[in-house]
Amino acid sequence: MVWFRTHGVCLFMVAALVSHILRTQYRSFSKLAARSMSNVTYLGQEQAQNIDIELFDEYKFSIDQLMELAGLAVAKAVEKSYPNRGEILVVCGPGNNGGDGLVAARHLALFNYKPTVVYPKQPNKHPFPSLLHQVKAMGVSVSPSLPSNLSTYTCIVDAVFGFSFRGANNIRAPFDTIIPALVNTTVPIASVDVPSGWEVEEGSTNGIQPDILISLTAPKLCAKQFRGRHHWLGGRFVPPALAQKYSLNLPEYPGADQVVLI
């Protein structure tokens, strides 16, 4: 009995010490992670464009590769943020952001969501016809116009304008009616890289206010104004030398995940 009491006290003290060490290490890790997140690099418009150019010219990525990886990241962020397999509306613009949206819609169909694509302007240049063909081959409905009733959707993916956008006051038809509809809807919005209609560096206080933002490669300066629920980073394709050249301080992706929370 004496042995049990003595050793029982020792075991209790050891357990308390281990618990204290683990709590201390957790607090240290949390502080380090918070500092790392607070120092994440935000890109200006010219920097973002230069990085894209180097990915194509120096590192020999094709536009198809980058869109596939970016669109997959968007789909994964949507899947993590809206796990109930509902109807998703993917609104695509005429540029690369729209291409990311087409890829995302295809993956969302494979993830057992029910995506519908709105694609008002469909460019004929590579790779957009192929991306459109692929998403239709998955049985995804594609329409040139926004549905009159948006309330049936779990989420709307905003893949209209990207980091090349300029001129929030000069949005042309048909997006001059689509963007206000997205501003006014109560359906949660997932914006791809830059909320459509935001200036890339200054952002917007009266434009689309997304529920989640999926930054690609690195967040843009406007993302500092994001006040939604989740800010994801995707586009897991940045070579270490390129990250070093542009002093990109980005969070590490966990395991084999395609997205990470900022």
Side-chain angles (χ1 to χ4, degrees):
M1 183 65 71
V2 173
W3 182 93
F4 176 80
R5 285 199 300 269
T6 302
H7 286 74
V9 169
C10 290
L11 289 172
F12 175 79
M13 292 176 65
V14 169
L17 178 61
V18 170
S19 177
H20 172 73
I21 291 171
L22 289 174
R23 285 198 303 271
T24 302
Q25 288 180 336
Y26 175 78
R27 284 195 295 267
S28 299
F29 173 79
S30 298
K31 289 178 181 177
L32 180 62
R35 285 199 300 270
S36 174
M37 293 301 183
S38 67
N39 293 326
V40 166
T41 304
Y42 289 78
L43 299 177
Q45 191 168 39
E46 186 176 353
Q47 284 178 302
Q49 290 170 337
N50 289 340
I51 288 173
D52 246 26
I53 290 169
E54 289 206 32
L55 285 168
F56 292 132
D57 294 348
E58 180 68 22
Y59 292 95
K60 306 305 178 185
F61 281 94
S62 68
I63 192 170
D64 309 62
Q65 286 178 295
L66 295 185
M67 282 186 181
E68 189 66 29
L69 291 169
L72 175 59
V74 170
K76 285 300 297 179
V78 169
E79 188 266 339
K80 288 176 179 289
S81 301
Y82 311 100
N84 294 328
R85 275 20 185 201
E87 294 186 47
I88 306 289
L89 186 66
V90 184
V91 186
C92 297
N96 291 354
N97 234 39
D100 298 342
L102 293 174
V103 173
R106 170 162 44 85
H107 285 290
L108 286 168
L110 290 169
F111 296 165
N112 294 320
Y113 286 84
K114 298 174 183 176
T116 298
V117 169
V118 173
Y119 199 24
K121 290 192 173 182
Q122 303 176 8
N124 289 322
K125 65 179 181 179
H126 177 80
F128 300 103
S130 296
L131 297 178
L132 182 59
H133 177 84
Q134 290 162 6
V135 75
K136 285 181 176 179
M138 288 292 174
V140 176
S141 174
V142 179
S143 170
S145 57
L146 203 65
S148 57
N149 181 16
L150 300 178
S151 63
T152 60
Y153 296 98
T154 301
C155 161
I156 299 172
V157 176
D158 157 32
V160 180
F161 301 131
F163 65 74
S164 298
F165 175 79
R166 286 186 174 90
N169 296 321
N170 297 301
I171 298 175
R172 298 177 181 176
F175 301 106
D176 60 341
T177 58
I178 289 175
I179 299 302
L182 299 186
V183 170
N184 294 321
T185 185
T186 58
V187 177
I189 291 181
S191 285
V192 178
D193 207 22
V194 176
S196 294
W198 284 30
E199 297 290 352
V200 178
E201 297 185 1
E202 289 80 17
S204 173
T205 56
N206 56 5
I208 292 173
Q209 299 301 317
D211 180 47
I212 70 169
L213 174 63
I214 308 110
S215 292
L216 298 172
T217 307
K220 313 309 178 285
L221 283 170
C222 66
K224 291 185 176 183
Q225 290 192 23
F226 171 68
R227 298 293 182 268
R229 188 164 55 100
H230 294 317
H231 184 186
W232 296 97
L233 176 65
R236 194 174 181 176
F237 46 65
V238 180
L242 186 62
Q244 184 176 12
K245 178 178 178 178
Y246 286 90
S247 301
L248 300 182
N249 182 30
L250 303 173
E252 290 189 15
Y253 289 86
D257 283 2
Q258 295 300 309
V259 291
V260 59
L261 278 172
I262 295 179

